[in-house]
Amino acid sequence: MYNPTIARLTYRALLGRRRALILFLLPAMLLVISAAIRVLNGADDQAAADVLGGFALATMVPLIGVIAGTGAIGPEIDDGSIVYLLSKPVKRPTIIFTKLIVAIAVTMAFSAVPTLIAGFILNGNGQQVAVAYTVAALVASITYSALFLLLGTVSRHAVVIGLVYALVWETLFGSLIAGARTLSVQQWALALAEKVTGDGLVTSDVGLPTAVVLLVAVTVAATWFAGQKLRRLTLAGEE
């Protein structure tokens, strides 16, 4: 199910000069903001939760997920080079699964790791805030990668759609409409963070059992649909 050659090519595409600059920019901003807050306010648990929840999980993780998830396959479909890959004797689920693993790894590396470091900078992991949000970033990275990989296979405007979901649906509508938060990867991930802290510092509008089921279901469904879409692309090419 995992092809090292496809993985290597996907890593090379994702970590090219332009994308790498964007990927490094957001974590760098998080660390700078965290250091500034620590210098100005000292160790503050609530400030740490606000920064990690408001910037790291709500903004940085989904944006990096958009870049990694759509970039893992979208450009190949847009420029037609995916045909060369599909002509090789590699199973289509293997292609999707390999690209998903790469997208998850990149998203985790550029979001979960900086979140952990920022948490220790902000309050030294007081009340397990750093670990809680790191866990949330890790699980969110998996689901975001699957969702945005699917978008990359079904639409030439995957980046735009991904940004609309991440910034408009989850951030804007999620802050205004309670029902929208139920259909939010961010809230599902926060349910796990809430379990880690366990003191009310982190809260989610979704219960933990429901969140786990939704995270797994959406990840599996998105991966399966992406594989089906890639299979139809192959049939179209053969015709």
Side-chain angles (χ1 to χ4, degrees):
M1 290 297 290
Y2 181 83
N3 187 292
T5 301
I6 294 175
R8 183 172 63 255
L9 294 173
T10 306
Y11 275 118
R12 185 179 301 172
L14 285 178
L15 300 178
R17 186 172 302 176
R18 180 184 299 178
R19 284 195 178 90
L21 179 62
I22 300 174
L23 289 171
F24 277 107
L25 180 61
L26 289 170
M29 289 176 59
L30 173 63
L31 296 179
V32 169
I33 292 171
S34 300
I37 292 176
R38 179 61 184 265
V39 170
L40 295 174
N41 293 339
D44 187 305
D45 295 340
Q46 187 60 56
D50 291 342
V51 171
L52 297 181
F55 183 80
L57 188 62
T59 302
M60 184 180 72
V61 179
L63 288 181
I64 292 177
V66 169
I67 297 170
T70 61
I73 197 169
E76 292 177 284
I77 294 177
D78 291 341
D79 63 21
S81 60
I82 190 69
V83 175
Y84 174 79
L85 180 59
L86 296 179
S87 68
K88 301 299 179 181
V90 181
K91 294 181 179 179
R92 305 309 175 248
T94 298
I95 296 174
I96 289 296
F97 185 76
T98 300
K99 289 183 173 294
L100 176 61
I101 293 300
V102 172
I104 290 173
V106 170
T107 305
M108 285 182 173
F110 285 92
S111 60
V113 174
T115 297
L116 180 63
I117 297 172
F120 275 95
I121 291 174
L122 285 163
N123 74 335
N125 194 38
Q127 299 192 58
Q128 297 293 307
V129 171
V131 171
Y133 278 102
T134 300
V135 170
L138 288 171
V139 297
S141 294
I142 298 173
T143 303
Y144 279 132
S145 295
L147 277 174
F148 297 137
L149 180 67
L150 171 62
L151 281 178
T153 64
V154 301
S155 174
R156 290 180 178 272
H157 307 290
V159 174
V160 175
I161 298 173
L163 290 175
V164 169
Y165 172 79
L167 299 180
V168 177
W169 177 265
E170 291 209 340
T171 302
L172 180 59
F173 287 176
S175 64
L176 300 175
I177 305 173
R181 292 193 287 270
T182 304
L183 300 176
S184 166
V185 176
Q186 176 188 340
Q187 290 296 321
W188 304 343
L190 278 174
L192 278 79
E194 181 180 11
K195 179 65 175 181
V196 174
T197 56
D199 60 359
L201 191 62
V202 181
T203 59
S204 171
D205 291 339
V206 181
L208 181 59
T210 302
V212 171
V213 170
L214 289 172
L215 285 166
V216 173
V218 169
T219 301
V220 172
T223 304
W224 183 82
F225 277 116
Q228 293 303 304
K229 174 61 177 177
L230 197 62
R231 183 172 298 171
R232 288 196 293 270
L233 284 176
T234 304
L235 293 175
E238 292 172 351
E239 293 173 354

